[in-house]
Amino acid sequence: MPDIPRARSPSATPRHSPSGTRRRCRGFQVGVVIGDDCLIGHNTVLTTLNHDLDPTRRADMHPAPIVIGANVWIGSNAAVLPGVTIGDNAVVAAASVVTKDVPADTVVVGSPARVVRSVTD
């Protein structure tokens, strides 16, 4: 079996900001917690890192975890942004962009995702 090249750790890779100063990404491993019996569609993006909005600090990273409750269904091509918690039994429609927490037992749709109904309706 041929040797497979291994990627370098993000903490070992220097980053360059627009101002020319060197920055390092250190230990951004905040993670994603996924509950039991979840369905996650194709091409779903769960992102736990964001950049600073200020142009002079745009290279700075802001990590935040994602928590997905039990029995959650996330449709294909959805995006879940950093710091979001999705409650148990919730449904995220395909192609939705989840920017805020989703209450348990609700259906969210759109960009940004908004509650449209209860799962039990």
Side-chain angles (χ1 to χ4, degrees):
M1 181 181 266
D3 287 336
I4 299 171
R6 297 191 184 271
R8 290 174 42 156
S9 164
S11 62
T13 306
R15 304 288 183 207
H16 299 280
S17 71
S19 63
T21 60
R22 293 172 65 106
R23 300 178 192 257
R24 291 190 180 268
C25 294
R26 292 188 181 108
F28 292 132
Q29 297 179 7
V30 293
V32 176
V33 176
I34 300 175
D36 293 335
D37 302 318
C38 290
L39 301 172
I40 300 177
H42 297 285
N43 208 32
T44 293
V45 175
L46 306 173
T47 179
T48 59
L49 289 175
N50 203 352
H51 293 276
D52 204 291
L53 195 56
D54 179 359
T56 63
R57 300 183 54 94
R58 197 139 304 150
D60 293 352
M61 302 292 260
H62 299 283
I66 293 173
V67 178
I68 300 172
N71 201 34
V72 170
W73 176 16
I74 301 176
S76 297
N77 297 306
V80 181
L81 300 187
V84 167
T85 296
I86 301 175
D88 293 346
N89 304 310
V91 176
V92 176
S96 294
V97 179
V98 183
T99 60
K100 296 181 181 176
D101 290 352
V102 175
D105 302 307
T106 58
V107 178
V108 296
V109 177
S111 176
R114 299 190 191 285
V115 175
V116 295
R117 60 175 275 198
S118 169
V119 171
T120 58
D121 286 347

